[in-house]
Amino acid sequence: CLWTLAAVIKETLKDALVPRAGFLKKLLAPLDAVLEGFYNAILLHHFDSHHYTSPYSEATDNLISFTDLLEALLASRTELELPLRCQRILFLKVSYVLNLISSSIPYVIKKKLILLLKKCVLYKSREDAKSGSLFLQTPSLCEDMLALSNAVLQVVNLTWLNQIPLSGKSSYFGSSEAAPGDDSQGGSDQTVLRALSLVVLKALEFKIHNSATEAEIK
């Protein structure tokens, strides 16, 4: 079901002949509350269990399908003037994704989620893209981006980055030490390193531009 819904959204976005806004609203509006419930249930799950240790398990496959759906919902957001809750949930409850990235799920899913976060911080509404402004003008997107920035900076201020592996084997953010029991000499995943760095920098930039006082900026 997750895969099918993601596929329908992606195909709709490709079809120039379909009135995309009307179709997406008709498709997603009845599922709005359901998808938020899915988000809460799936991402608040206990991921340190043995079901998620293998990148080939059914549980891992379901999580990858849900991540693909989140990506499709993000891409479809530009089509609606007022985005639905299911298109905003990734921003408003990004802490679930941040916790998931630092859990013991397979590296392939961590990487997908980090790259999805990168798409979030680079996201612009159609109006903002047309205006060419460096600052976001759409109120709902400003609210969402501020929620995402606050959550990212909150975890970065703790030890979150130190828990993020930079390859499927050994390197960790801020360290070249091998994981316990790992004798291999694998290099860092530069794609993930760049994406993580960009997420932190964009969150910091947005927070500074939207801070009311000098003390808050400091």
Side-chain angles (χ1 to χ4, degrees), residues 54-88:
S54 167
Y56 308 108
S57 69
E58 186 181 352
T60 299
D61 200 38
N62 289 340
L63 198 50
I64 289 173
S65 294
F66 190 64
T67 305
D68 288 338
L69 176 58
L70 290 176
E71 192 172 341
L73 288 170
L74 176 66
S76 71
R77 180 173 172 151
T78 54
E79 300 299 328
L80 300 185
E81 195 172 328
L82 287 173
L84 296 166
R85 178 81 178 177
C86 64
Q87 295 170 311
R88 301 180 64 191

Side-chain angles (χ1 to χ4, degrees), residues 56-126:
Y56 308 108
S57 69
E58 186 181 352
T60 299
D61 200 38
N62 289 340
L63 198 50
I64 289 173
S65 294
F66 190 64
T67 305
D68 288 338
L69 176 58
L70 290 176
E71 192 172 341
L73 288 170
L74 176 66
S76 71
R77 180 173 172 151
T78 54
E79 300 299 328
L80 300 185
E81 195 172 328
L82 287 173
L84 296 166
R85 178 81 178 177
C86 64
Q87 295 170 311
R88 301 180 64 191
I89 195 73
L90 184 57
F91 292 84
L92 299 175
K93 294 187 177 179
V94 73
S95 58
Y96 293 18
V97 171
L98 297 172
N99 291 337
L100 191 52
I101 290 171
S102 60
S103 73
S104 61
I105 57 170
Y107 181 75
V108 62
I109 307 181
K110 289 179 190 258
K111 183 170 182 174
K112 275 182 78 72
L113 290 170
I114 289 167
L115 294 177
L116 181 57
L117 283 182
K118 176 188 167 185
K119 287 184 178 179
C120 286
V121 298
L122 293 176
Y123 177 82
K124 282 190 175 182
S125 68
R126 189 164 284 170

Side-chain angles (χ1 to χ4, degrees), residues 168-188:
K169 294 179 180 176
S170 59
S171 300
Y172 279 72
F173 198 99
S175 167
S176 57
E177 291 179 16
D182 188 355
D183 297 320
S184 61
Q185 293 295 316
S188 299

Side-chain angles (χ1 to χ4, degrees), residues 52 72 117 157 196:
Y52 295 90
L117 283 182
N157 204 31
L196 269 175

Side-chain angles (χ1 to χ4, degrees), residues 101 107 110-112 114-115 118 160-162 164-168 171-176 187-202:
I101 290 171
Y107 181 75
K110 289 179 190 258
K111 183 170 182 174
K112 275 182 78 72
I114 289 167
L115 294 177
K118 176 188 167 185
W160 184 77
L161 281 177
N162 298 331
I164 312 302
L166 288 179
S167 78
S171 300
Y172 279 72
F173 198 99
S175 167
S176 57
S188 299
D189 187 330
Q190 297 300 303
T191 303
V192 170
L193 179 59
R194 284 194 297 269
L196 269 175
S197 301
L198 184 64
V199 167
V200 175
L201 286 170
K202 293 297 281 185

